[in-house]
């Protein structure tokens, strides 16, 4: 039993009664919360699904605490927290306990940019030019492009700084100068041509806003955004980790506290906000009130209309935009070291408007938060996020294996893979999606809102795979895609790897044997391996623990489609990849002598 399991208790519930228009099943808040906590569903529920309680999920995932706030029509409906702040120090969480918001910091920082834009001190479409001392670009960069991730900026995310490490200032982060642990923040891709997620762009925005206001970013955001929004518990200023009396959750990895309790993120606009779900829910409510014509707290005309207007590829200003089950929604995920969170909200002008914020203090908390969101949506009757109910069909492993392989068409490649007797779709994301058979040919795709239909070969033609989603159909054909064998392009290492995500090519070392040496600092690095012609289908998905070998001072673990490398001793590391058509790829990582 995890030591924190002994502290698992339900804490004070902060709530307001649902309005009179609410259905009777929602009036009893305690019953509502109990139903949510009793069963956290997968994305697809079948006749074989078994209830999974919140406490069991937390114990299995090694997540010591979870806190949630639910809003309806711009007002808090209820908030609840479960678990303990620190698995070693103890201390029960409550709805006032602070968590790192991680990347949900971005839409909050975007609110600040919108406030500045209203006074025209930060025009959304003005070139940043030389407004930030020491940083320049050869092409025009605007706040709108930074906010929507369309500025082509480098450095997608930040690992933070553990206890005892020197903390760089923003100028050093922008320049990639020590003690910064990331590459320089530059224009790396064509500006305005699609969306490329960049925390680096938000660091540039942070520096720009500080220059305009003449104040530290955290101070200006407190007085101009957080205070007017009555986000009284929230702050971009970092607390003292050695003060155990503060009502703050500690970050956890595999159920154990991160050394020093948490990482520090000087990249405040990108990842540095401390908040509660109740406070973050006020951000969603502000936009929903703006949409519905209700009073708002910030003096920004047409706030929601501006922020929720699509800029490129499902990106608004600070927000991710989707349409689910016919309903427009907005939200954001957050993943820092040992803290994971989500915010999801309705973007419709007419009610009912829902918003849910879930914050956790454990690695792996995203999946738990998503399942908790589905449980809340199920009880609310919120179709956008409620689990899908289907009748599963019995299919043999032999039948599934006949479908395995790669499928290509329209410039896209996907793969069907059988893992532990279950078919999975791998379509370029970092995680495989399990398939639930609805017949021998049709499958519902877990974690995706689509079906896959795979036909039998006819008249010598290749087998066809059709992806059906939102009324559209994408047709692909079975194709043979070989692993690198020395004749094709070299495999590439992709991921943070202390390199800001720049791909690095292996070199051929022998028959079906590739090698790459990478300098690494201490910390956690997640990466994937893909061939150039299969950029969107990762070879890393084919690794299992038996295929991994690791040298001293490291730990190597397969993680969905990616691989996680924990390095405790900085140095030069050699990655050796052995490929074969007869077996899974073999990966070996060894630290080279100094």
């Amino acid at each position: 039993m995890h030591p924190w399991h002994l502290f698992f208790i339900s804490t004070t519930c902060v709530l307001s009664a649902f309005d009179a228009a609410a259905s009777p099943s929602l009036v009893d808040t305690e019953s509502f919360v109990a139903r949510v906590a009793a069963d956290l569903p997968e994305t697809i529920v079948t006749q074989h699904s078994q209830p999974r309680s919140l406490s069991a999920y937390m114990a299995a995932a090694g997540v010591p605490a979870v806190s949630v706030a639910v809003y309806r029509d711009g007002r808090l409906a209820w908030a609840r927290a479960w678990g303990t702040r620190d698995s070693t120090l103890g201390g029960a969480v409550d709805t006032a306990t602070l968590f790192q918001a991680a990347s949900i910091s971005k839409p909050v920082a975007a609110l600040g940019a919108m406030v500045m834009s209203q006074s025209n001190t930060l025009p959304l479409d003005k070139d940043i030019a030389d407004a930030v001392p020491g940083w320049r670009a050869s092409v025009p960069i605007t706040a709108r492009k930074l906010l929507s991730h369309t500025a082509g900026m480098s450095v997608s995310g930040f690992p933070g700084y553990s206890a005892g490490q020197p903390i760089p200032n923003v100028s050093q982060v922008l320049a990639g100068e020590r003690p910064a642990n990331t590459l320089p923040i530059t224009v790396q891709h064509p500006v305005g041509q699609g969306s490329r997620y960049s925390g680096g762009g938000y660091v540039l925005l942070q520096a720009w806003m500080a220059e305009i206001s003449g104040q530290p970013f955290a101070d200006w955001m407190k007085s101009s955004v957080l205070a007017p929004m009555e986000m009284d518990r929230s702050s971009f200023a970092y607390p003292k980790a050695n003060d155990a009396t503060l009502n703050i959750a500690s970050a956890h990895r595999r159920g154990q506290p991160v050394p020093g309790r948490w990482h520090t993120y000087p990249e405040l606009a990108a990842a540095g906000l401390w908040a509660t779900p109740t406070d973050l829910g006020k951000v969603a409510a502000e936009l929903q009130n703006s949409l519905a014509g209700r009073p708002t707290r910030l003096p920004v005309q047409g706030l929601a209309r501006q922020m929720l207007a699509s800029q490129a590829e499902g990106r608004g200003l600070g927000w991710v935009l989707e349409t689910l089950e016919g309903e427009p929604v907005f939200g954001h995920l957050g993943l820092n070291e040992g803290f994971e969170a989500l915010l999801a909200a309705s973007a419709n002008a007419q009610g009912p408007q829902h918003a849910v914020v879930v914050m956790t203090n454990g690695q792996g908390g995203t999946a738990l938060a998503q399942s908790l969101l589905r449980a809340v949506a199920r009880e609310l009757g919120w179709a956008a996020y409620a689990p899908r109910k289907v009748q599963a069909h019995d299919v043999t492993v032999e039948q599934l294996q006949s479908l395995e392989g790669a499928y290509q068409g329209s410039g896209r490649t996907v793969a069907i893979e059988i893992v532990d007797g279950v078919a999975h779709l791998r379509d370029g994301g970092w995680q495989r999606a399990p398939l639930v058979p609805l017949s021998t040919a049709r499958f519902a795709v877990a974690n995706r809102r689509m079906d896959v239909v795979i036909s039998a070969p006819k008249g010598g033609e290749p087998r066809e795979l059709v992806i059906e989603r939102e009324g559209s159909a994408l047709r692909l054909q079975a194709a043979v895609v070989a692993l690198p064998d020395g004749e094709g392009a070299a495999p590439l290492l992709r991921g943070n790897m202390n390199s800001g995500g720049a791909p690095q090519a292996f070199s051929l070392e022998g028959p079906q044997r590739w090698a790459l040496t990478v300098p690494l600092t201490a910390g956690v690095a997640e990466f994937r391996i893909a061939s150039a012609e299969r950029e969107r289908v990762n070879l890393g998905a084919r690794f299992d623990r038996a295929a991994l070998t690791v040298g001293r001072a490291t730990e190597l673990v397969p993680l969905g489609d990616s691989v996680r490398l924990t390095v405790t001793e900085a140095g030069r590391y050699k990655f050796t990849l052995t490929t074969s058509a007869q077996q899974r790829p073999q990966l070996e990582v060894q630290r080279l002598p100094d």
Side-chain angles (χ1 to χ4, degrees):
M1 177 180 290
H2 291 286
W4 56 262
H5 189 69
L6 299 175
F7 294 94
F8 186 89
I9 63 172
S10 175
T11 61
T12 304
C13 177
V14 177
L15 57 92
S16 62
F18 286 98
D19 59 50
S23 64
S25 62
L26 299 184
V27 174
D28 185 353
T29 305
E30 287 299 321
S31 176
F32 183 100
V33 175
R35 293 194 302 273
V36 167
D39 183 14
L40 273 61
E42 300 287 353
T43 57
I44 298 175
V45 176
T46 75
Q47 69 273 28
H48 306 302
S49 299
Q50 296 296 317
R52 175 179 52 180
S53 70
L54 174 60
S55 58
Y57 200 144
M58 292 171 66
V63 175
V66 58
S67 184
V68 60
V70 177
Y71 279 70
R72 180 167 182 174
D73 295 334
R75 293 186 294 166
L76 177 66
W78 58 266
R80 183 66 66 93
W82 296 266
T84 185
R85 297 195 301 262
D86 189 291
S87 63
T88 300
L89 300 175
V93 293
D94 57 34
T95 55
T97 300
L98 287 170
F99 295 75
Q100 285 186 2
S103 286
I104 305 179
S105 304
K106 295 178 176 69
V108 179
L111 278 180
M114 299 306 296
V115 171
M116 280 191 171
S117 74
Q118 191 69 15
S119 62
N120 211 36
T121 54
L122 180 69
L124 294 180
D125 298 303
K126 178 183 177 181
D127 181 14
I128 190 172
D130 56 355
V132 176
W135 193 92
R136 298 187 65 86
S138 59
V139 292
I141 299 295
T142 67
R144 184 183 302 279
K145 289 184 170 60
L146 293 174
L147 290 168
S148 59
H149 300 280
T150 58
M153 303 296 293
S154 65
V155 187
S156 59
F158 301 93
Y161 297 83
S162 58
Q165 287 186 311
I167 308 299
N169 58 38
V170 173
S171 296
Q172 290 169 323
V173 173
L174 287 171
E177 295 177 350
R178 291 184 180 278
N181 59 9
T182 49
L183 291 177
I185 296 170
T186 62
V187 179
Q188 193 174 64
H189 309 284
V191 178
Q193 297 184 23
S195 176
R196 292 179 180 269
Y197 189 81
S198 171
Y202 272 74
V203 175
L204 180 59
L205 182 73
Q206 172 185 335
W208 194 1
M209 291 172 66
E211 283 295 315
I212 291 171
S213 68
Q215 301 178 51
F217 177 81
D219 294 349
W220 187 87
M221 286 295 296
K222 187 72 172 181
S223 62
S224 301
V225 177
L226 303 182
M229 290 284 293
E230 298 183 9
M231 297 172 66
D232 301 326
R233 291 283 295 157
S234 300
S235 177
F236 282 95
Y238 264 70
K240 295 180 179 179
N242 59 0
D243 188 347
T245 66
L246 297 176
N247 189 3
I248 299 176
S250 299
H252 289 76
R253 188 188 308 131
R254 300 181 190 89
Q256 298 302 312
V258 169
R261 297 189 65 190
W262 53 71
H263 283 191
T264 297
Y265 294 82
E267 307 90 357
L268 299 178
L273 178 65
W274 288 89
T276 66
T278 299
D279 272 3
L280 286 181
K282 294 176 182 178
V283 177
E286 181 79 351
L287 270 70
Q288 291 176 331
N289 288 334
S290 175
L291 284 169
R294 296 187 291 264
T296 56
R297 292 182 171 95
L298 295 179
V300 180
Q301 190 172 11
L303 176 65
R305 175 179 52 79
Q306 294 187 70
M307 296 193 78
L308 302 183
S310 180
Q311 306 296 313
E313 299 175 3
R315 294 283 179 186
L317 300 184
W319 296 102
V320 177
L321 310 178
E322 293 184 278
T323 298
L324 302 176
E325 299 297 322
E327 179 184 0
V329 296
F330 65 96
H332 214 287
L333 292 176
L335 287 87
N336 274 5
E337 179 68 17
F339 286 104
E340 300 189 9
L342 67 77
L343 182 155
S346 308
N348 51 307
Q350 305 299 322
Q353 294 174 322
H354 305 298
V356 177
V357 183
V358 185
M359 306 184 81
T360 75
N361 66 338
Q363 190 177 60
T366 299
L368 186 155
Q370 290 170 329
S371 190
L372 186 53
L373 168 62
R374 289 191 292 270
V376 172
R378 176 194 63 214
E379 299 301 322
L380 288 171
W382 187 12
Y385 292 102
R388 178 183 177 186
K389 294 182 178 180
V390 303
Q391 186 77 13
H393 183 79
D394 291 332
V395 180
T396 67
V397 173
E398 290 73 20
Q399 288 173 313
L400 293 177
Q401 289 174 337
S402 69
L403 309 178
E404 195 170 21
Y407 296 80
Q408 294 180 325
S410 302
R412 185 172 178 180
T413 300
V414 304
I416 300 295
E417 295 179 343
I418 312 303
V419 180
D420 297 329
V422 177
H424 291 70
L425 174 72
R426 187 155 51 86
D427 61 352
W430 282 62
Q431 299 292 328
R432 302 184 191 92
L435 301 181
V436 177
L438 306 180
S439 71
T440 55
R442 178 178 288 273
F443 300 83
V445 185
N447 308 316
R448 311 277 201 276
R449 292 179 179 269
M450 61 190 185
D451 282 1
V452 166
V453 181
I454 307 176
S455 65
K458 295 180 182 178
E461 292 294 320
R463 186 186 300 274
E464 184 179 65
L465 181 148
V466 180
I467 298 176
E468 297 179 353
R469 181 174 186 174
E470 299 289 337
S472 65
L474 175 65
R475 298 183 179 278
L476 310 174
Q477 289 188 331
V480 177
V481 182
L483 298 178
D485 58 5
E487 300 298 326
L492 302 176
L493 182 73
R494 300 176 182 275
N496 62 41
M497 297 306 297
N498 302 317
S499 68
Q504 301 172 69
F506 283 76
S507 298
L508 190 63
E509 192 176 65
Q512 299 180 326
R513 184 178 176 87
W514 303 79
L516 172 66
T517 298
V518 179
L520 297 176
T521 59
V524 177
E526 289 184 11
F527 62 95
R528 48 184 169 163
I529 296 175
S531 58
E533 68 273 18
R534 293 176 62 196
E535 178 178 349
R536 303 299 295 172
V537 180
N538 309 318
L539 299 184
R542 299 173 62 87
F543 291 126
D544 54 28
R545 286 185 183 271
L548 303 176
T549 305
V550 68
R552 65 188 177 93
T554 62
E555 180 186 20
L556 194 62
V557 178
L559 185 73
D561 273 11
S562 63
V563 179
R564 172 172 290 145
L565 179 68
T566 302
V567 179
T568 56
E569 184 179 344
R572 294 167 62 247
Y573 285 80
K574 181 179 180 181
F575 290 69
T576 303
L577 175 68
T578 304
T579 63
S580 169
Q582 287 73 43
Q583 62 181 11
R584 291 179 180 270
Q586 306 292 303
L587 179 66
E588 179 182 357
V589 181
Q590 294 286 343
R591 187 180 186 280
L592 298 179
D594 294 328

